[in-house]
Amino acid sequence: MRLLSLFCILLLLVAQQSPMLRAELQGPTIPTESASVTAATASSAEAERESTTNPQAPQAAEEITTADKEAKTPQVEAATTPGSNERKAAKLKETEFEARTKVMPAAFFERLHNDNILKQEKLKAQIEAIEAKLAPNDAEPTPEQIEAQSLYDNAMEILGKPRTDQRVALTLLKKAAAFNHLKARAELAWGMVLGHWMSFDFHHAADEFESLALEGVPEAHAGLGFLYSVGVGGKNVSQPLALIHYTLAALGDNTLAQMAMGYRYLFGINVPINCEKALLHYKRVARKVASKVTFANGPMLHRVRLLDELENPGSHETEIIDYYQLLADKGDVQSQVGLGQLYYQGGKATQQDHQKALEYFTLAANAGNAIGFAFLGKLYLEGSEQIKADNETAFKYFSKASEMGDPVGQSGLGLMYLKGLGVPKDSIKALSYFTQAADQGWVDGQLQLGTMYFTGNGVKTDYKLALKYFNLATQSGHVLAYYNLGIMHAYGMGMLRSCPAAVEFFKNVAERGRWSSSLMHAYSDYKHNRIDEAFMHYSLMAEAGYEVAQSNAAFLLDREEVHVFNDRHEDLIRAFYYWKRAAGQGYSAAQVKLGDYYYYGWGTKTDFETAAALYRKASEQQYNAQAMFNLGYMHEQGLGMKKDWHLAKRLYDLAAETNSDAKVPVALALFKLQMLAKIESIKESPYRFIFYMDENIAANWDLYMITILTLLLGIIMYTRRPFQQPEQPVQQQQAPQAAPAAAAAPANDIASVAAANINAASTAATGTATASTSAAAATAATSTSNTGSSSAAAAAAGTSSSSSNTLDPTD
């Protein structure tokens, strides 16, 4: 029945096609004869439309169609019956029904047509409104706008170079801002916030950001998000407002805002943890970084942790450079190569300088060094501000290095054949050179070989081999290797899809962009004692998720060196949150510092259990000696955990084994632990009554104190009394002839002279007298050495008298 009704509707539509076309062209002129057909068609069309939108509509439409047929059939029969009295009335009814059914389809389609026209007009109006908003950007710029954009571009180019005068860039930005260049104004406001090229002016920068944010400038939204997150410029700390502005800036493709949002979604900072959203933000930033990576792999980024540098101060890089320069000037090839590589990539205290790198590599190449040839090829292949790119020269140096078996030269030749740089493209030769370089462990060869297997360029696509070589390249820290692994993990190519792994790789790539140079600027400010400027740079990078920046900002606040806030309590609260974020990214020293904050209640409430958990985490995962020592002390005192002296001793011993610097404090702690153990053993012995005399001692403490002081004073007086020797009787007898000689002899020789006299006397004596005489002589000699030359004569006289008085053997 339903199919029959649909078929009837199609027939009616075909029958009314020509009148409908006439009605569309000529307007809504509906004849009376077709009114009934139109109405019937409209009702059928409405029933069909309801059947498609409402699940109960088909049955209702079927019932309506059936009723119409049943009502129409008797009328037709009555009209065809000859001689009927109702023929005229039936004819009138049929004519009226047909007219009504003919009008309804035309009205229905006319209404649909009018609705479509209204929708088109509304959509057109919306498009015109959007184009009107974009019209100023698409319109032809004025001469002032062209000049302002040129000034801004020149200023940003100067700022992007490592060795330039930034005051020139500041002048150009001010001129561009005078022409109301929005990005130039935002850049100047950032300079006021970071103390970059100018002094701090947080309030003026906040006003500038707010006015620019109304214009839709992404950099202004990022600036407001930073001010609300840190709490400067008259803005109270408000993480919800910071989140709103960061989101708007990220939608405007601001890089730091995208990193901030990715970090917040990754670790759940004021938002629910969402790996997919973090992946989306970090992938966008990583794509920007990967597109800018060159053959030189960019300047080297040094992430200096101020806490580690304070605890383990190393040798200064400038002194090492001076030493290597001295050796290089004397013709040491290895020193020349080392200095060339240092200036080629840049160092912690050395800026990148390709001109000096060219000089040292040339000296090494003239001495026949293969690495010198290879890096000369890299310099001429890529080119720089000081060196013009020359593929022919690069190919010559790469060939010499490759003939000597150097992997850098082999990888360079492979890249030239792969991309057709000065030579015809040849993927077979490129594969051969990359394989030789990769077999020797060179990172560029491993990366390019993995890329060929990943894309199937010249070889059959093999994701397993690509994964192998990308993993090898990441061990040397190549940016593109991290990016390619992130792509493979994000899309599940050759492995199971893993969002956390992909985010980790993309985050690593994103943190190696050119904006990471702010870390080096902050370290330079710190070395030049510009602490507030260093803190603002570190805090900005901390918002972007850099763990090094988070720990360094907390370190500066912890040492009371930052004067931006002028409130110690606020400093501790901010330091607490920075330590917490750095600890969440696995930095063991930050975990220990965060445990200290929980232990002492700095910036938060005292929580011994949380402190112990952080110490345990740092000791088990990172083998941190300080964490082991602190955990041992908490076990010793029973703070946040059960008191256990055996476990405390074990942790103390582990701390001493882990770090030799902990041996002295560990020895003191173990001595204290042994004393406590002895006291506890005495308390369990029969002498425990000593520890129960506290009440008696407390009641008469002054008497005990006086007694102790009196005894100490008496002991001191007794030990410091003068020593008096007994006076010997004056001898009236004359000494022997040898006595004057003995008396005249020096004090050091008196004993030997006396011994000689005694030997002479013992020769004449016999028996027991000899022994007695020798003993008396020895006594005289000893007394002589103690009393000086005047007593020596008396000792000699005493010796002769004693020898005359000891003749009796029984005496």
Side-chain angles (χ1 to χ4, degrees), residues 81-359:
T81 303
S84 175
N85 295 328
E86 298 179 356
R87 174 184 293 181
K88 191 177 291 185
K91 187 174 182 179
L92 291 174
K93 291 180 180 181
E94 184 178 357
T95 304
E96 182 182 358
F97 178 76
E98 289 178 355
R100 187 167 61 250
T101 54
K102 288 180 180 179
V103 172
M104 292 178 66
F108 173 71
F109 283 108
E110 182 182 359
R111 187 176 66 181
L112 290 178
H113 175 69
N114 293 334
D115 290 342
N116 289 332
I117 292 176
L118 291 175
K119 290 180 180 179
Q120 291 177 2
E121 290 179 353
K122 185 177 181 181
L123 181 62
K124 184 178 180 181
Q126 292 177 353
I127 294 174
E128 290 177 353
I130 295 174
E131 290 179 351
K133 293 181 179 180
L134 299 177
N137 295 331
D138 296 336
E140 185 177 354
T142 61
E144 291 81 5
Q145 292 175 344
I146 295 175
E147 183 180 358
Q149 185 65 34
S150 176
L151 292 171
Y152 174 77
D153 293 338
N154 292 334
M156 299 309 294
E157 183 180 358
I158 292 173
L159 292 176
K161 297 178 182 179
R163 303 172 65 88
T164 54
D165 189 359
Q166 295 183 348
R167 292 176 296 178
V168 178
L170 176 61
T171 303
L172 295 176
L173 286 174
K174 288 182 177 179
K175 290 181 179 179
F179 290 108
N180 197 27
H181 192 279
L182 301 181
K183 290 186 178 293
R185 290 172 56 190
E187 198 69 28
L188 288 175
W190 273 111
M192 299 174 191
V193 170
L194 300 176
H196 201 191
W197 328 304
M198 60 187 71
S199 58
F200 289 120
D201 194 346
F202 298 126
H203 292 278
H204 182 71
D207 296 337
E208 192 75 359
F209 282 146
E210 287 179 349
S211 63
L212 292 173
L214 296 176
E215 300 290 337
V217 180
E219 290 78 7
H221 283 293
L224 285 176
F226 175 66
L227 294 181
Y228 277 115
S229 180
V230 178
V232 295
K235 307 295 184 184
N236 294 326
V237 176
S238 176
Q239 295 302 330
L241 289 176
L243 186 64
I244 291 173
H245 287 291
Y246 280 146
T247 303
L248 294 174
L251 292 175
D253 200 30
N254 182 268
T255 301
L256 290 177
Q258 289 173 341
M259 293 182 67
M261 293 303 299
Y263 168 70
R264 287 173 179 254
Y265 279 115
L266 179 60
F267 290 95
I269 307 296
N270 304 117
V271 292
I273 295 178
N274 193 323
C275 182
E276 296 298 332
K277 290 186 178 181
L279 176 64
L280 178 64
H281 288 291
Y282 273 122
K283 184 169 65 175
R284 291 175 179 174
V285 182
R287 188 183 296 115
K288 298 178 187 178
V289 178
S291 63
K292 300 295 183 180
V293 174
T294 60
F295 185 56
N297 199 16
M300 186 68 67
L301 175 64
H302 295 272
R303 304 186 181 190
V304 183
R305 292 186 175 91
L306 301 181
L307 180 61
D308 293 344
E309 188 178 54
L310 178 67
E311 295 179 353
N312 302 310
S315 58
H316 298 286
E317 184 177 341
T318 54
E319 298 177 357
I320 298 176
I321 294 174
D322 294 339
Y323 175 72
Y324 276 111
Q325 284 180 346
L326 178 63
L327 295 178
D329 294 339
K330 293 182 178 180
D332 186 78
V333 178
Q334 296 299 326
S335 300
Q336 294 169 353
V337 171
L339 284 174
Q341 292 176 337
L342 179 63
Y343 285 112
Y344 179 70
Q345 292 185 333
K348 184 170 66 174
T350 306
Q351 292 184 347
Q352 191 179 33
D353 192 340
H354 283 180
Q355 185 62 40
K356 288 187 176 181
L358 178 65
E359 296 175 1

Side-chain angles (χ1 to χ4, degrees), residues 597-626:
Y597 272 60
Y598 277 112
Y599 183 89
Y600 295 106
W602 295 338
T604 185
K605 294 182 179 179
T606 302
D607 190 343
F608 292 133
E609 294 181 358
T610 304
L614 289 167
Y615 292 149
R616 185 180 295 106
K617 185 177 181 180
S619 62
E620 293 177 354
Q621 295 181 359
Q622 304 293 333
Y623 299 102
N624 189 288
Q626 184 65 51

Side-chain angles (χ1 to χ4, degrees), residues 36-49:
S36 61
V37 179
T38 306
T41 307
S43 62
S44 302
E46 290 180 359
E48 182 181 3
R49 185 174 60 185

